[in-house]
């Protein structure tokens, strides 16, 4: 019962934040399908398609650059080697952040310990 | 977790360790939808929501305790963790909401079709990258816990197992 209440609290906060986000994005107007990104990026639903473009047709899906259909089937940069590439890049980012934060802290802690020991030695 | 909050039992700590490893691995897979494919990406990230709820339930005492003391006297580490955890929660919500808005597999499966909106794609991409950075910070701030728990519940039992076997072999 207690756990159920806690789950409900988490879900309620999640739902409230979600509602705020949907309202916020809709109110800002950028979610309109005719949205144009910087550099006049083209998206379907805009004022016109380039000649030969059929929205929704194969090869004309709206994807960020490099997100190609065939990758989903494990070809190209997909598959095991692709997974390795993406995962290695992301693990590298996390490892870099961990090193940048943990290492200076551990050096500072060691220095503090040494400083605490030094007076004891000179006093002795 | 800090000493300012009641400690977990060994079973809870072990559960946390395995759950966190699972969420971490799932996050890495969802961060690369080009390799996994959109279907795995969508279903796995929706399933992660349940795992994250469990993650929060296992730290519930800490959340309540720090929420009550946030405006009063509180150590810097706990304060920073608390703010970062809220930012992670907000970013995670944006990630899932924007994901649902651009869903190509999960929502159509439930018969839900949402209007195309390029802004949601941008937000999804942005919140995913931000999530990666914040997860890096979250991991760094819990590095001590990760190393200790890994050592106590994974490395040491394996080492003990081998040394016991060596002793037994030597006795024979
Ligand atoms: C990929 C996702 C995540 C992973 C791998 C992860 C991992 C961890 C680890 C290893 C700990 C240390 C366990 C402890 O001190 O008891 C922890 C604690 C915690 N995490 Fe996460 N976490 C993730 C996402 C999140 C998110 C999205 C939130 C959002 C609110 C969150 C909130 C917390 C809280 C409240 C604690 C305990 C309090 C503290 O910060 O010391 N975590 N997490
Ligand atoms: C932990 C949660 C999630 C993470 C870390 C995540 C991460 C990502 C990333 C990094 C991309 C690639 C974006 C790009 O290359 O520009 C992406 C794309 C995508 N995600 Fe997610 N995502 C999550 C949750 C979801 C959910 C819950 C859904 C839907 C139910 C979803 C649906 C999609 C779709 C449809 C795309 C492809 C967008 C496109 O074709 O342009 N995602 N996601």
């Amino acid at each position: 019962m207690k756990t159920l209440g806690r789950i409900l609290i988490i879900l309620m906060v999640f739902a409230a934040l979600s509602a705020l986000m949907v309202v916020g994005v809709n109110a800002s107007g950028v979610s309109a399908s005719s949205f144009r990104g910087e550099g006049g990026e083209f998206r379907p639903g805009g004022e016109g398609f380039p000649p030969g473009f059929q929205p929704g047709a194969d090869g004309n899906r709206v994807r960020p650059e490099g997100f190609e259909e065939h990758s989903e089937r494990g070809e190209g940069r997909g598959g095991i080697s692709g997974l390795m590439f993406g995962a290695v890049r992301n693990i590298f980012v996390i490892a870099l952040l961990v090193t940048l934060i943990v290492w200076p802290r551990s050096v500072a802690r060691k220095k503090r310990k040494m400083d605490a020991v030094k007076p004891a030695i000179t006093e002795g | 977790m800090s000493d300012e909050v009641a400690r977990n039992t060994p079973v809870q700590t072990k559960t946390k360790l395995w759950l966190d490893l699972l969420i971490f691995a799932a996050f890495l897979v969802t961060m690369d939808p080009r390799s996994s494919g959109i279907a795995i990406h969508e279903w796995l990230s929706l399933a992660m929501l349940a795992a994250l709820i469990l993650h929060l339930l296992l730290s519930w005492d800490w959340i309540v305790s720090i929420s009550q003391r946030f405006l009063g006297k509180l150590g810097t580490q706990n304060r920073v963790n608390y703010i970062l955890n809220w930012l992670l929660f907000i970013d995670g919500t944006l990630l899932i909401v924007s994901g649902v808005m651009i869903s190509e597999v999960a929502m159509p499966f439930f018969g839900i079709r949402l209007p195309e909106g390029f802004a949601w794609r941008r937000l999804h991409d942005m919140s995913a990258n931000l999530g990666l950075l914040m997860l890096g910070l979250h991991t760094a701030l819990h590095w001590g816990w990760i190393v200790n728990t890994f050592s106590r519940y994974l490395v040491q039992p394996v080492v003990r197992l081998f040394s016991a076997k060596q002793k037994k072999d030597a006795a024979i």
Side-chain angles (χ1 to χ4, degrees):
Chain A
M1 208 53 210
K2 208 166 66 178
T3 309
L4 211 66
R6 291 173 179 178
I7 294 175
L8 224 67
I9 294 175
I10 298 171
L11 288 178
M12 265 158 54
V13 177
F14 176 79
L17 279 173
S18 304
L20 270 175
M21 284 165 187
V22 172
V23 169
V25 171
N26 283 344
S28 70
V30 282
S31 71
S33 50
S34 59
F35 173 78
R36 279 168 175 274
E38 315 109 57
E41 244 166 319
F42 162 79
R43 296 290 148 194
E47 301 104 64
F49 298 123
F53 186 98
Q54 289 176 328
D58 219 22
N60 283 343
R61 302 291 296 274
V62 191
R63 286 266 156 89
E65 290 79 48
F67 207 123
E68 278 145 36
E69 288 290 328
H70 67 255
S71 312
E72 283 174 39
R73 294 191 290 270
E75 298 157 29
R77 202 168 68 60
I80 289 298
S81 61
L83 185 64
M84 294 320 276
F85 178 82
V88 165
R89 193 205 64 165
N90 293 334
I91 288 176
F92 178 77
V93 172
I94 293 178
L96 189 71
L97 279 167
V98 171
T99 312
L100 284 177
I101 292 170
V102 175
W103 192 52
R105 280 168 112 203
S106 115
V107 169
R109 203 174 310 122
K110 270 193 199 132
K111 195 173 171 300
R112 238 181 291 133
K113 253 192 209 162
M114 293 285 274
D115 289 348
V117 169
K118 248 188 231 157
I121 293 172
T122 45
E123 274 166 33
Chain B
M1 204 181 284
S2 105
D3 290 333
E4 292 175 46
V5 182
R7 289 192 170 278
N8 289 118
T9 63
V11 174
Q12 275 175 326
T13 309
K14 259 190 255 180
T15 312
K16 265 189 185 178
L17 179 66
W18 287 113
L19 184 75
D20 291 345
L21 281 175
L22 200 82
I23 304 177
F24 189 77
F27 188 83
L28 286 179
V29 175
T30 50
M31 270 306 288
D32 195 15
R34 284 182 186 82
S35 311
S36 63
I38 287 292
I40 291 180
H41 175 79
E42 293 192 13
W43 291 117
L44 186 66
S45 52
L46 285 173
M48 259 173 78
L49 186 62
L52 276 172
I53 289 178
L54 200 56
H55 179 72
L56 294 183
L57 288 178
L58 286 167
S59 294
W60 194 260
D61 291 344
W62 184 90
I63 298 170
V64 172
S65 158
I66 305 298
S67 301
Q68 283 165 349
R69 289 184 292 151
F70 189 74
L71 294 176
K73 221 174 134 227
L74 189 67
T76 314
Q77 168 107 10
N78 273 327
R79 206 178 282 280
V80 171
N81 271 334
Y82 188 80
I83 295 171
L84 183 71
N85 289 340
W86 262 109
L87 292 177
L88 257 170
F89 189 82
I90 294 169
D91 185 72
T93 307
L94 181 58
L95 201 48
I96 292 181
V97 172
S98 56
V100 164
M101 298 307 269
I102 61 171
S103 169
E104 293 171 5
V105 180
M107 291 305 120
F109 175 84
F110 292 117
I112 302 168
R113 290 215 164 261
L114 295 156
E116 274 270 353
F118 189 60
W120 287 115
R121 271 176 209 281
R122 281 243 163 131
L123 284 172
H124 193 65
D125 191 23
M126 201 184 73
S127 53
N129 291 329
L130 210 66
L132 181 71
L133 294 181
M134 286 201 280
L135 182 64
L137 292 179
H138 191 60
T139 309
L141 292 173
H142 289 96
W143 194 246
W145 184 91
I146 295 169
V147 172
N148 283 339
T149 315
F150 234 87
S151 161
R152 187 173 309 156
Y153 295 108
L154 279 174
V155 180
Q156 283 173 17
V158 173
V159 170
R160 265 201 300 273
L161 199 77
F162 275 102
S163 58
K165 193 177 175 303
Q166 266 175 354
K167 268 189 202 151
K168 216 166 112 188
D169 289 347
I172 295 168

